[in-house]
Amino acid sequence: MNPTRSRTLRGALVALAAGSLVLTGCSGGSDSGSKSEESAKDKEAAKAQSAAVEYGDAAASKGPAKAVEGAKEGGTIRVYQEDDFSHLDPGQIYVSDAGQLAGLIHRGLTTYTQAEDGSLTVVGDLATDSGKQSDGGKTWTYTLKDGITDEEGDPITSKDVRHTIERLYAKHITDGPTYIQQWLSGGPGYREALPDGPYEGKHLPDSVLETPDEKTIVFHFETAQPDLPQALAMPGYSVVPEEDDTKAKYDQKPVALGPYKIAEFKPGKSMKLVKNTEWNAETDPARHQYVDGWNITFNHSRADQTERILADRGESANAVQLSGSVDSTKIKQVIEEADDRTIKGYQPYVWQLNMNMDRLKDKKVRDAITYALPNAQILRPDGGSYAGEPAGGLLAPTLPGYEEGYDPYGKLDKPNGDIEKAKQLLKEAGKEGMKLTYAYANVPHRQKQAVIIETALEKAGFDVQKKDIDQATWYEQVGKVKNGLDIYMTGWGQDWPSASTVIPPVYDGDQIADGASNYSHINDKHVNSEIDRISRIQDPEEATKEWVELHKYIVEKVNPAAPLYFTKQLQIYGSNVGGARYSTVKSYIDLTQLYLKK
C-alpha cells in the first residue's frame, strides 16, 4: 500500500513523495536516555512486525473480535485529514490513506488479527479460514461464512468474489495491487487474459478461478503461491458485489461490507461514516463498531492536525489522525506534553536516493554520490531521531532477514557523509565537475533536504542542477522511463513481511516501464535471474536467506539507490479516545479498536 499515490506502485508500499505518510519530527542530535529507551522499544516492535505471519484456522477466524478492555458504545470520532482519499474503489486502493479507510468500510476473503506484542495472524474475514492449500500450494480453496451481506442486505456469494478478482483485469482499474492477477495469468501481461474484465460476459476459465457453488472459491496457479492469504488481506482485494459494480463510478460510491458505510461524501471537503446496520459482528474476527460514526474533514495540514489535537479542546478531544503524522516542528512539544496520547512504531518504508542508471552508468559515480550524502542531516527536516534513523541498506527493520548494523557505505559510522571518499571516487572516474539533475518535491521538508543534498554533492565535486516537481505528480514524473533526471528520492515498504514484496518490484529489470516501480532502472542479469530463482523457493526461511544475499549484491555490487533513512510513525489522538494502538499491518493508528470514553 503506498502512501499517497501508492499505487505503491506495483508491488509494495510506496511512501508518498512528500512524506505525508512518513513520520516527521524535530531535529536530531545525541539521544537522551528516554530516546534510547524509545528506540529500544521501537526495535522490539519492529522485530514483531518482521516475524513470520501465522495462518489462522476456522476457530481463529470466528467473530466477534476480541473485546477492547473498557470500551464503550456511542459517539462520533473526529478525523482531521490532509487530503481527500486517493480512491474508494477497493480495486484502486494501494495507498495508505485509502487503506486506512478501507479497514472501516471494506472486507475481503482474509484479514489480519494482531496480538498484544504486535505479531500477526492471517484469518478468514469473509472466508471461514485463511485458506486451504493443496497440490503443493498451487491450489487454494476458500469457503464463505454464513450471514455475510453488503450494506443493502444482499448476500455475498462466490459469484461476487469471482467478479471482484476478474474486474481487476479491466482497463479502468489502474492503481491497485496486481499480485494475484499476475499469479493467475502469467505475469505483467495478465490483462490480456481478460482485457474487458467480466463486463462483456467473459470469465477466467475454471482451470484458473473456479466457483463450484455459491460458497466456494478455488484459485488455481501454475506455481505454488504460499503468500496468497496475505495478498488477499490487502485492501485492494476487498469484495465488490457484482450487482453494485458501476465500473469507474464505483470509485465515488462504493458499497460497504464493513462495520461502517459512507453516509455523505463531499469530494475535497468532507466525509461522514455511519454504522452499517447489515454488518454482523459474529462474522468479523478483527473489527469493532463501538462508535456511532466518523466525521472526516480534509485540507488540514499536519501542523493544523497536530495543533488541534494537542490543544484537546471541544471536538478535538474526540479526534485522531488517520494517515497524518505529528508535524515535524511540533514533535518535541507533543512528546513533552502529550506522550500518553501518541502511538509510535517503525514504518516499513526505506527512503532512498535513486540514481538513474540509464544516465549514471559508472558505479564509481554512484558510489561517490552515496558516500557524500549526510544521512543524519537529510533525516532532520523529516523529523530527526524521533522520525527515523539513518539507513545502511535498502531493507527495513520490519522485514525478515534485516541485519542491524549492515553498513557497506559507512552511513552509520559516518552519518554526516564522507566527502573525501566521494571526491576520490569522482576523481578516479574522471568526472569532477559532472552535472547532476536532481529532482525534489516542492514541499517544505523536501526543499530543506534538497539544500542539504545539494551542498554535500557540490562539496564532493558535482555540479548540481535542482529541479522542483509538484508533490501531487511526483511519482508520475519520476516514474517515467525517460524522465530526464539523474537523482530523486522515493520511499518503499513491504506489502507483507517478505522481501519478495520489495526486491522484485523495485529492482527487477522486467519492471522498467512508465509507471512501474523500478525507479533507478536497474537491469542487472544476475539480479534478474536471482529474482526468478528465489521467487520459486517455497520455504520462507530459505527464501529469506537468499533475498538477504541478493540485497547485499544489489547494494554493494550495483548500487542503484543510496539508502537514506528508515522511518518511524508518530500520531497524536484526543484525550477522550480509547483503545488506541499502533497497527503493525497499517503502520498507523488501528481504527478498528477505537471507542470514546464518554
Side-chain angles (χ1 to χ4, degrees):
M1 178 185 318
N2 143 18
T4 177
R5 167 191 174 173
S6 184
R7 197 178 148 178
T8 161
L9 260 319
R10 282 285 171 238
L13 291 152
V14 174
L16 179 55
S20 67
L21 305 182
V22 179
L23 170 67
T24 57
C26 66
S27 63
S30 59
D31 282 346
S32 65
S34 60
K35 276 190 193 175
S36 298
E37 240 174 79
E38 287 296 335
S39 181
K41 289 178 183 177
D42 289 343
K43 287 178 180 177
E44 285 303 310
K47 287 181 182 177
Q49 285 177 258
S50 69
V53 172
E54 299 288 333
Y55 286 177
D57 58 13
S61 304
K62 290 181 179 178
K66 182 180 178 181
V68 176
E69 186 176 354
K72 297 180 180 180
E73 302 273 348
T76 298
I77 288 182
R78 186 72 171 86
V79 178
Y80 302 114
Q81 181 72 0
E82 188 164 10
D83 299 310
D84 199 343
F85 296 109
S86 50
H87 288 290
L88 302 179
D89 182 336
Q92 300 276 50
I93 292 177
Y94 213 158
V95 297
S96 39
D97 62 338
Q100 278 283 76
L101 179 69
L104 298 175
I105 64 175
H106 295 312
R107 295 178 70 182
L109 284 178
T110 63
T111 190
Y112 291 95
T113 56
Q114 178 177 321
E116 289 184 7
D117 66 356
S119 59
L120 300 172
T121 301
V122 179
V123 297
D125 188 359
L126 301 181
T128 55
D129 54 33
S130 58
K132 292 182 172 62
Q133 58 176 310
S134 56
D135 191 23
K138 294 180 182 180
T139 300
W140 285 84
T141 301
Y142 289 88
T143 303
L144 293 174
K145 294 174 181 174
D146 296 327
I148 302 287
T149 62
D150 62 24
E151 68 176 65
E152 297 168 350
D154 297 324
I156 299 299
T157 71
S158 61
K159 187 170 73 169
D160 296 305
V161 179
R162 182 179 197 121
H163 179 83
T164 295
I165 298 297
E166 292 179 337
R167 72 189 295 272
L168 301 178
Y169 288 69
K171 294 180 179 64
H172 74 274
I173 300 294
T174 57
D175 283 353
T178 64
Y179 290 110
I180 296 175
Q181 303 93 294
Q182 293 199 37
W183 293 344
L184 287 172
S185 301
Y190 68 90
R191 289 190 195 272
E192 297 175 9
L194 199 65
D196 297 313
Y199 301 108
E200 301 298 325
K202 295 182 180 180
H203 298 282
L204 296 172
D206 285 351
S207 59
V208 172
L209 184 61
E210 185 181 3
T211 52
D213 56 54
E214 286 196 343
K215 290 280 190 180
T216 308
I217 305 97
V218 186
F219 295 87
H220 298 282
F221 303 104
E222 287 292 323
T223 59
Q225 299 298 341
D227 288 346
L228 178 65
Q230 296 186 77
L232 284 168
M234 296 176 71
Y237 292 110
S238 298
V239 167
V240 174
E242 182 178 17
E243 294 301 317
D244 297 301
D245 186 3
T246 53
K247 298 185 182 178
K249 293 180 180 178
Y250 198 77
D251 214 12
Q252 283 77 53
K253 194 175 181 181
V255 172
L257 276 69
Y260 297 92
K261 62 182 180 181
I262 299 172
E264 179 183 288
F265 178 39
K266 297 177 181 178
K269 295 182 179 179
S270 63
M271 176 182 288
K272 290 184 178 180
L273 306 181
V274 297
K275 285 186 175 181
N276 174 9
T277 56
E278 297 296 331
W279 173 78
N280 182 356
E282 298 299 317
T283 70
D284 198 324
R287 303 169 188 83
H288 293 287
Q289 197 186 50
Y290 290 131
V291 298
D292 295 329
W294 302 71
N295 182 11
I296 306 167
T297 53
F298 309 117
N299 304 309
H300 298 280
S301 68
R302 284 183 287 182
D304 182 52
Q305 295 173 32
T306 305
E307 289 167 3
R308 287 172 182 264
I309 301 176
L310 182 60
D312 204 38
R313 292 191 295 266
E315 66 176 11
S316 295
N318 298 337
V320 300
Q321 292 181 293
L322 186 140
S323 61
S325 303
V326 170
D327 186 67
S328 60
T329 64
K330 300 289 183 181
I331 285 186
K332 186 176 181 181
Q333 184 182 1
V334 167
I335 294 297
E336 290 176 349
E337 299 178 12
D339 190 46
D340 61 342
R341 294 196 284 120
T342 64
I343 60 101
K344 311 177 185 75
Y346 270 98
Q347 291 192 309
Y349 306 111
V350 180
W351 282 96
Q352 59 193 47
L353 188 72
N354 299 279
M355 295 176 280
N356 187 340
M357 293 183 64
D358 291 337
R359 295 162 64 97
L360 303 180
K361 299 179 183 296
D362 190 330
K363 183 175 183 291
K364 285 188 176 181
V365 170
R366 300 196 298 273
D367 288 353
I369 293 170
T370 304
Y371 278 108
L373 296 173
N375 289 28
Q377 294 177 36
I378 295 168
L379 173 59
R380 283 179 188 143
D382 207 7
S385 58
Y386 285 113
E389 61 189 48
L394 297 169
L395 296 183
T398 56
L399 271 174
Y402 168 73
E403 294 181 325
E404 187 174 353
Y406 176 67
D407 190 26
Y409 293 96
K411 310 312 295 181
L412 309 183
D413 288 340
K414 294 185 177 181
N416 292 317
D418 189 340
I419 296 297
E420 294 308 312
K421 178 73 171 178
K423 285 181 177 179
Q424 175 191 337
L425 287 166
L426 197 59
K427 184 176 181 179
E428 291 175 6
K431 299 290 186 179
E432 293 168 294
M434 177 181 178
K435 286 187 178 180
L436 285 178
T437 302
Y438 165 41
Y440 61 95
N442 63 350
V443 290
H445 63 296
R446 296 296 180 225
Q447 292 166 346
K448 291 175 184 177
Q449 288 175 329
V451 173
I452 294 168
I453 291 171
E454 177 189 29
T455 299
L457 293 177
E458 294 275 2
K459 286 181 180 178
F462 289 99
D463 177 9
V464 179
Q465 310 293 314
K466 290 192 299 182
K467 179 179 181 180
D468 70 303
I469 293 177
D470 182 48
Q471 66 158 329
T473 61
W474 174 259
Y475 277 106
E476 180 182 342
Q477 297 301 315
V478 303
K480 293 177 180 177
V481 175
K482 301 293 184 181
N483 58 28
L485 307 171
D486 293 314
I487 53 176
Y488 34 92
M489 285 175 63
T490 58
W492 190 270
Q494 72 227 36
D495 277 329
W496 56 83
S498 170
S500 66
T501 66
V502 176
I503 292 177
V506 185
Y507 306 109
D508 188 346
D510 289 340
Q511 298 292 336
I512 299 175
D514 287 347
S517 45
N518 183 340
Y519 297 111
S520 61
H521 309 155
I522 173 178
N523 190 11
D524 183 273
K525 289 183 180 179
H526 176 72
V527 173
N528 296 345
S529 63
E530 282 294 276
I531 287 174
D532 291 341
R533 180 184 70 83
I534 300 169
S535 296
R536 293 192 291 268
I537 297 175
Q538 298 306 308
D539 181 348
E541 289 190 11
E542 179 62 27
T544 294
K545 291 178 184 176
E546 297 297 322
W547 287 125
V548 168
E549 289 305 308
L550 181 56
H551 166 247
K552 289 179 178 178
Y553 177 90
I554 292 170
V555 173
E556 298 171 29
K557 303 300 182 183
V558 184
N559 190 19
L564 295 177
Y565 54 91
F566 308 129
T567 60
K568 298 177 185 178
Q569 179 61 277
L570 178 66
Q571 292 181 299
I572 185 172
Y573 56 89
S575 61
N576 195 39
V577 176
R581 71 174 183 181
Y582 185 72
S583 168
T584 52
V585 177
K586 304 287 190 181
S587 300
Y588 294 96
I589 192 169
D590 188 344
L591 303 178
T592 68
Q593 306 292 297
L594 299 183
Y595 66 92
L596 294 179
K597 299 174 184 177
K598 58 184 179 181

